[in-house]
Amino acid sequence: MTAPTVPWDSSLQASSGGLKAELRRTQRRRKLEAVALVAPLFLFLAVFFLAPIAAMLFRSLDNSELPSAMPRTAEVLRAWDGAELPPEPVFATFASELAAGQKARNLAGVAKRLTYELPNMRSVLFATARALPEQPDGTWQKTLTGVNAVWGEPATWAVMRRAAAPFTPLYLLAAVDREMDTGGSIVSVAPDRAIYVDIFVRTFWIAIVVTVVCLILGYPLAYKLASLPPRIANLLMILVLLPFWTSILVRTGAWVVLLQREGPINETLQTLGLIAEPLQLVYNRVGVYVAMVHILLPFMILPLYSVMKGISPAYVRAATSLGATPFTAFRRVYLPQTVPGIGAGGLLVFILGVGYYITPALVGGAGDQMVSYFVAFFTNQTINWGMAAALGSVLLVATLVLYWIYAKLVGVDGMKMG
């Protein structure tokens, strides 16, 4: 007679269920530990990277000056259809809040915002606020027009209506040399005001030239470092990293001394008889290229070196043993394997180059300043944060577009940063 197996099966199932529960708890605990380990990194990125970018994008569209100082005026202006002059209630509401703003001294933001589109509006607004009577002379439209004829022009109220919106494309349009006319259509600015597109072209051109020069200088140096014995290569790598131990400001100032007309470089060239007169090497594009290449060259060498160090010399030897010339072996065997390092170094140098400020400001001339100079100008001098944010946003978008094109044409899957 066979013994029953039900108790044994029950204990086996209970043991299996306990093991599964323990496995789930272990997996859950490991996931929580992994999340806890990466949470500080995500928090750091969110606070110091994503949040500033989001704030910059918001600031480039922010239009809160008039709505915050004159909320009722902004509301009635948004309800107005924008045809001809606004109705009397709009004038009355504006006059009431203008008088209140004069007493509260909170019209500076409104005046600054209106001045971006109408240059004389700051003085007009404050003069009107000071001359405004307590009671209208008939209608507020007649009274305001009597104080200053500007308030009787449809173009003035078209600007007021645009300033009443919570967001505005004003700064982004200005960053690409565009503006809105009185009818709300986007048009090109006058030729004497069209400067920012040229500045962006100049910025990207300088960054491209610096990237190419860094690649030309850095590739053979990285190749030599990768082929030397480790003891010698490490000593030479210290020389490559040595500039990192000195601030950018000091290095740029040193180039100003070296490149000036009475500097060591010009004196050496004259002593050797290579030139008769000192060359203008500073406060122009040449000085910008030289200083930026010197500063950014290590960022090209390091990714190239890290990739080249992992390439076995046996590949090139095998190619030459099969009949390939040294140049053919290099071009068809070695060079393709270094493309990830070229991509990483080129992308790193280019992105750093488009955002440079100190170096072009110190060694460049008036026609060599990049976008970062104007971002600093609008931030620190004119306090036009909207325009500064718009320039930064356009630069960010343009860089992302170029990165996308690079990813489509070259690919970033195999790119190595070291």
Side-chain angles (χ1 to χ4, degrees):
M1 184 175 179
T2 305
T5 58
V6 174
W8 181 83
D9 291 340
S10 300
S11 62
L12 180 61
Q13 291 176 357
S15 175
S16 177
L19 290 175
K20 290 180 179 179
E22 181 63 26
L23 179 61
R24 287 194 296 269
R25 286 194 294 269
T26 302
Q27 292 176 340
R28 191 181 305 113
R29 184 171 62 253
R30 289 180 177 177
K31 289 180 180 179
L32 292 176
E33 291 175 352
V35 170
L37 288 174
V38 300
L41 175 61
F42 282 118
L43 182 62
F44 178 85
L45 290 176
V47 174
F48 296 102
F49 182 72
L50 297 179
I53 291 178
M56 179 184 68
L57 296 175
F58 172 80
R59 179 66 71 173
S60 67
L61 297 170
D62 183 41
N63 196 38
S64 61
E65 292 91 346
L66 193 147
S68 61
M70 298 180 169
R72 292 187 291 113
T73 300
E75 184 178 353
V76 294
L77 282 172
R78 288 195 295 265
W80 170 46
D81 60 4
E84 299 299 331
L85 289 174
E88 175 63 17
V90 175
F91 281 91
T93 304
F94 172 66
S96 173
E97 292 197 317
L98 183 62
Q102 172 69 8
K103 294 179 181 179
R105 299 183 180 276
N106 64 350
L107 297 178
V110 179
K112 182 176 69 172
R113 168 62 181 86
L114 297 178
T115 304
Y116 294 153
E117 297 192 67
L118 297 174
N120 297 323
M121 280 304 295
R122 181 179 182 85
S123 59
V124 169
L125 188 71
F126 284 113
T128 303
R130 289 191 298 267
L132 198 65
E134 294 184 2
Q135 296 298 326
D137 183 13
T139 63
W140 278 114
Q141 179 178 347
K142 178 183 177 182
T143 303
L144 287 169
T145 305
V147 173
N148 196 306
V150 168
W151 301 113
E153 298 176 2
T156 301
W157 290 99
V159 172
M160 292 282 292
R161 186 169 180 262
R162 290 198 291 269
F167 299 100
T168 178
L170 170 69
Y171 307 112
L172 291 174
L173 290 175
V176 291
D177 294 334
R178 299 293 186 272
E179 64 181 357
M180 297 182 69
D181 60 13
T182 56
S185 301
I186 298 176
V187 297
S188 300
V189 300
D192 59 334
R193 295 168 50 207
I195 61 173
Y196 296 113
V197 171
D198 292 339
I199 292 170
F200 279 109
V201 172
R202 180 197 308 159
T203 297
F204 284 107
W205 175 252
I206 291 175
I208 290 172
V209 171
V210 170
T211 302
V212 172
V213 174
C214 284
L215 178 60
I216 294 174
L217 297 177
Y219 195 96
L221 180 56
Y223 176 79
K224 188 63 178 178
L225 289 174
S227 60
L228 288 173
R231 182 176 61 84
I232 301 176
N234 291 337
L235 291 176
L236 295 178
M237 184 59 68
I238 293 176
L239 300 179
V240 174
L241 299 176
L242 191 61
F244 288 121
W245 302 347
T246 308
S247 71
I248 294 178
L249 185 60
V250 173
R251 281 181 278 169
T252 304
W255 277 114
V256 173
V257 176
L258 291 173
L259 296 174
Q260 61 184 336
R261 292 179 63 86
E262 295 79 17
I265 294 179
N266 269 313
E267 289 183 356
T268 302
L269 293 176
Q270 286 181 292
T271 302
L272 296 176
L274 299 178
I275 58 174
E277 297 291 334
L279 300 175
Q280 184 65 36
L281 300 176
V282 72
Y283 307 126
N284 56 14
R285 192 66 57 87
V286 175
V288 174
Y289 287 148
V290 171
M292 288 185 64
V293 167
H294 168 249
I295 294 171
L296 294 176
L297 186 58
F299 294 99
M300 178 67 75
I301 294 175
L302 293 177
L304 286 172
Y305 174 76
S306 66
V307 172
M308 292 176 177
K309 196 65 177 175
I311 299 175
S312 173
Y315 299 136
V316 175
R317 288 199 297 267
T320 55
S321 66
L322 293 174
T325 63
F327 177 75
T328 302
F330 170 80
R331 180 175 60 87
R332 302 189 62 178
V333 177
Y334 190 83
L335 181 62
Q337 296 183 79
T338 62
V339 168
I342 295 174
L347 198 61
L348 186 60
V349 171
F350 177 80
I351 291 177
L352 291 174
V354 295
Y356 252 56
Y357 168 64
I358 292 294
T359 302
L362 292 182
V363 301
D368 305 307
Q369 301 307 314
M370 302 168 71
V371 171
S372 54
Y373 171 86
F374 294 90
V375 172
F377 172 79
F378 284 116
T379 301
N380 300 325
Q381 298 189 35
T382 64
I383 319 300
N384 188 349
W385 293 343
M387 195 64 203
L391 290 173
S393 299
V394 173
L395 183 62
L396 173 65
V397 172
T399 303
L400 291 177
V401 169
L402 290 176
Y403 176 81
W404 178 80
I405 294 174
Y406 171 86
K408 287 294 183 180
L409 296 178
V410 180
V412 295
D413 295 337
M415 187 172 62
K416 296 181 180 180
M417 288 291 183

